[in-house]
């Protein structure tokens, strides 16, 4: 059963809850693979927070590659920020590097 999303909030996922928060979620899920030490990741996090507030139908989830390296490996993350959109448990869109709000909306199909 899919969990309730936190409306207007960016969520965090790890190996333990990625299945529930991303793969089992209803609707599009934008996943940001990031690290705290990554400058571009810090920049895009502000855009992701705005997007979460503006798009209540989308779920935005961050995965710290330093704390969940197996997820980064599983999804082929070689550079960060790596942004992926999942629908019905499948990755349907992928972008590496900075992206603006319009690009992220487009990735989500919203």
């Amino acid at each position: 059963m899919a969990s309730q999303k936190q409306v207007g909030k960016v969520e965090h996922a790890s190996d333990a809850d990625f299945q529930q928060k991303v793969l089992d979620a209803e609707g599009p899920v934008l996943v940001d693979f990031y690290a705290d030490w990554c400058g571009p990741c810090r920049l895009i996090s502000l855009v992701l927070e705005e997007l979460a507030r503006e798009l209540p139908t989308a779920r935005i989830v961050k995965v710290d590659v330093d704390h969940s390296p197996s997820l980064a490996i599983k999804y082929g993350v070689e550079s960060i920020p790596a942004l992926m959109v999942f629908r019905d448990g499948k990755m349907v869109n992928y972008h590496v590097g900075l992206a603006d709000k319009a690009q992220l909306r487009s990735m989500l199909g919203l």
Side-chain angles (χ1 to χ4, degrees), residues 31-110:
V31 179
D32 172 26
F33 287 89
Y34 79 103
D36 289 333
W37 49 262
C38 165
C41 298
R42 288 194 299 269
L43 289 174
I44 204 162
S45 70
L46 300 172
V47 177
L48 294 173
E49 288 170 16
E50 283 181 32
L51 207 57
R53 288 190 298 271
E54 294 173 12
L55 299 175
T57 58
R59 175 177 240 160
I60 299 175
V61 177
K62 294 174 69 80
V63 174
D64 187 325
V65 297
D66 290 333
H67 294 121
S68 299
S70 62
L71 284 173
I73 291 167
K74 179 177 181 177
Y75 291 101
V77 175
E78 294 180 359
S79 290
I80 52 176
L83 303 154
M84 299 178 194
V85 175
F86 289 81
R87 279 188 210 283
D88 302 319
K90 294 180 176 54
M91 184 181 42
V92 296
N93 214 329
Y94 183 85
H95 176 83
V96 175
L98 287 175
D100 63 26
K101 204 179 335 180
Q103 288 173 295
L104 297 174
R105 280 180 187 262
S106 177
M107 284 178 66
L108 282 162
L110 299 172

Side-chain angles (χ1 to χ4, degrees), residues 18-35:
F18 189 83
Q19 179 76 37
Q20 177 191 24
K21 288 186 173 182
V22 177
L23 302 179
D24 293 342
E26 292 180 17
V29 182
L30 175 62
V31 179
D32 172 26
F33 287 89
Y34 79 103

